[in-house]
Every structure is written in C-alpha cells, then in structure tokens.
C-alpha cells in the first residue's frame, strides 16, 4: 500500500511538470499510472481502466485550474482562442463521459492507445507542428473549428480522460501560435472536460471506485505531488526553445503509448 502511494506521489510530481509544460492537465500520466497501480494491486471488483479515466478527470480539475491561473498571470492566454471553444468542449465532454461508461475497459484502453498513435503520426507527418508556420500573425479559429471541432474535442477528451490537450495543442500550433502559448491555453480548455467528466463518473451508479468510479486516495496522492511542482515549473516554461518544446511533447506521448501497450500485454 505504501509503495503504491509513493509511486502515485512521484508520478503526481511528474504530472505537475507536464501540466505546465505541455498542457496535459495530468491525463496522459495519471491514466496509465492509476491503471497500472490498480492492476498491480488487483483490488477485487475494480474496473481499472474506468477508475483510471475517472480519477484522471478529477485530478485534472485541480491541476488545470491551478496551471491556467499561473499561465494567466504570465500573460500567455489569448481570449480569442480560449473562450469560443470552451462552451462547445463542455457539451462534447458530457456526451463523451456518458459514452465511456458504456464501453468495456479493454476497448477503452485500446482506444486510448489508438488515439495517442494517431496524434503522434499526425504531428510528425503533417506540417505545422514541429516548426511554426511561416506567417506574420496567428490565424483565427473558423466557425466550424469552434463548433464541430470543439464538440469533438470535448467528446474524445472526456471519454479517454485526457483533457483534450493532444487535440487543442496541435490545433492552436497550426494556427501559428508558439508552443508556450498553445500548451498554456490547453489548461483552461481542459477545465470543462475535467469538470463534466468528474461529475458523470462520480455519479455513475455502477462505479467500482470510492465515489462512483473515482479513487479518492489515488487522486489525493497525485495532487499532493502535482500542485507544488506546478508552482515551480511555471517559472521556467518560457525558457524552453520552441523546437525543443514541440519535440519533447511528441516524445512524451510516445513514452505513454509504449507504457499503455506494455501494461496491457
């Protein structure tokens, strides 16, 4: 039990770093970690993947709000990109959370891995992510991107417990925003996903966690590690070169993908 808590605490610290640097809010770290801990401890009756996704959403509520406030103080949030997407992401998140409760744990894990694989391939093969587009100023979001894109982002992000950063960061990146701003805005855009997902999973009548599908002990351990590191990491994020920032983003996604595949083997 102590070993599991210390592991969650350690990865909570890593979550804080990735929340600020990459806008993940914790999802891509907490889902594999909680899934791995529950699988290793073999808690009777636990639905490891659903509990992992639900707990990730709860952790993201706190992490994303804390990081968004820190990024706002640093002046990295652009209202023209954040606010149009927020409402549509929230709508999609509610539908995505309900849908996830109807999907089997194995299928949910495979969808999580597939989502990562597609994102990595898209970022490598399509221009505009690893290097900033050659334009004088960022492009505005189109109406279709805001409505259909925002709803789709919310649906997929809430269903997989990932906060949407892996869709919003490439989207904003290809609009001409530097990585430091694209990742910063992923945090406030993750808040509606996290809140919607947490409420749906917490109220699920068939949940196998301590509160619906939520594992409150795991969430507390993760937050105990993440919040202090968010406060520290926000001071250095602007010093990372843009190219290094974008490459590191993809490397981390690849590491998470490999971890999920290995744990599910």
């Amino acid at each position: 039990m102590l070993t599991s808590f210390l592991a969650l605490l350690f990865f909570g610290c890593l979550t804080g770093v990735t929340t600020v640097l990459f806008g993940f809010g914790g999802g891509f770290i907490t889902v594999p970690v909680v899934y791995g801990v529950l699988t290793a401890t073999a808690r009777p009756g636990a639905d490891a993947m659903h509990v992992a996704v639900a707990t990730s959403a709860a952790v993201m509520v706190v992490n994303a709000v804390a990081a968004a406030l820190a990024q706002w103080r640093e002046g990295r949030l652009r209202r023209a990109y954040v606010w149009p997407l927020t409402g549509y992401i929230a709508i999609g998140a509610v539908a995505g959370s309900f849908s996830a409760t109807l999907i089997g744990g194995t299928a949910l894990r495979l969808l999580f891995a597939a989502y990562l694989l597609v994102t990595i391939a898209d970022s490598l093969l399509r221009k505009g992510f690893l290097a900033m587009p050659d334009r004088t100023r960022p492009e505005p979001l189109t109406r279709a991107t805001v409505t259909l894109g925002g709803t789709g982002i919310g649906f997929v992000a809430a269903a997989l417990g990932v906060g949407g950063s892996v869709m919003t960061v490439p989207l904003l990146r290809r609009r001409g925003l530097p990585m430091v701003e694209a990742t910063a805005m992923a945090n406030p855009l993750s808040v509606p996903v996290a809140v919607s997902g947490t409420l749906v999973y917490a109220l699920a009548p068939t949940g196998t966690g301590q509160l619906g599908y939520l594992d409150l002990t795991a969430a507390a351990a993760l937050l105990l590690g993440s919040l202090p590191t968010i406060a520290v990491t926000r001071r250095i994020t602007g010093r990372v070169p843009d190219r290094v920032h974008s490459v590191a983003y993809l490397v981390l996604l690849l590491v998470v993908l490999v971890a999920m595949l290995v744990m599910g083997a």
Side-chain angles (χ1 to χ4, degrees):
M1 190 68 176
L2 178 61
T3 302
S4 297
F5 182 85
L6 292 176
L8 290 168
L9 185 66
F10 169 77
F11 282 103
C13 294
L14 182 58
T15 295
V17 175
T18 60
T19 296
V20 177
L21 287 181
F22 305 115
F24 286 168
F28 284 106
I29 303 297
T30 56
V31 170
V33 168
V34 175
Y35 176 81
V37 167
L38 290 179
T39 302
T41 55
R43 196 175 73 198
D47 182 347
M49 193 60 194
H50 282 97
V51 172
V53 171
T55 303
S56 168
V59 170
M60 268 193 291
V61 173
V62 182
N63 280 353
V65 169
L69 289 173
Q71 301 286 19
W72 174 69
R73 294 190 188 101
E74 298 290 335
R76 297 192 180 110
L77 303 184
R78 298 197 185 200
R79 182 185 180 93
Y81 293 94
V82 173
W83 294 116
L85 282 169
T86 303
Y88 291 99
I89 287 178
I91 293 170
V94 173
S97 299
F98 276 114
S99 298
T101 62
L102 305 176
I103 302 173
T106 300
L108 193 60
R109 180 178 59 80
L110 292 176
L111 287 171
F112 185 93
Y115 172 66
L116 280 173
L117 182 60
V118 169
T119 301
I120 293 169
D122 178 69
S123 297
L124 288 173
L125 299 176
R126 268 210 304 161
K127 294 182 179 180
F129 183 82
L130 289 176
M132 289 185 64
D134 185 17
R135 57 174 67 103
T136 57
R137 65 178 61 185
E139 294 180 353
L141 299 173
T142 65
R143 181 173 293 277
T145 299
V146 170
T147 55
L148 299 178
T151 304
I153 288 170
F155 184 91
V156 174
L160 301 180
V162 295
S165 61
V166 175
M167 286 178 282
T168 59
V169 171
L171 170 65
L172 297 174
R173 182 74 167 155
R174 291 193 173 96
R175 293 293 167 181
L177 292 168
M179 276 296 290
V180 67
E181 291 188 12
T183 53
M185 284 184 279
N187 285 305
L189 291 174
S190 292
V191 173
V193 173
V195 171
S196 300
T198 300
L199 290 175
V200 171
Y201 291 125
L203 298 175
T206 58
T208 58
Q210 296 166 337
L211 177 63
Y213 279 111
L214 303 186
D215 188 319
L216 299 178
T217 303
L222 289 164
L223 288 172
L224 189 61
S226 67
L227 291 177
T229 53
I230 286 175
V232 173
T233 308
R234 72 180 182 84
R235 302 176 184 276
I236 65 170
T237 185
R239 304 174 188 175
V240 181
D242 190 80
R243 176 75 174 185
V244 173
H245 202 164
S246 60
V247 171
Y249 184 93
L250 293 181
V251 169
L252 183 57
L253 292 186
L254 183 60
V255 170
V256 174
L257 173 61
V258 172
M260 286 299 293
L261 294 176
V262 169
M263 285 189 291

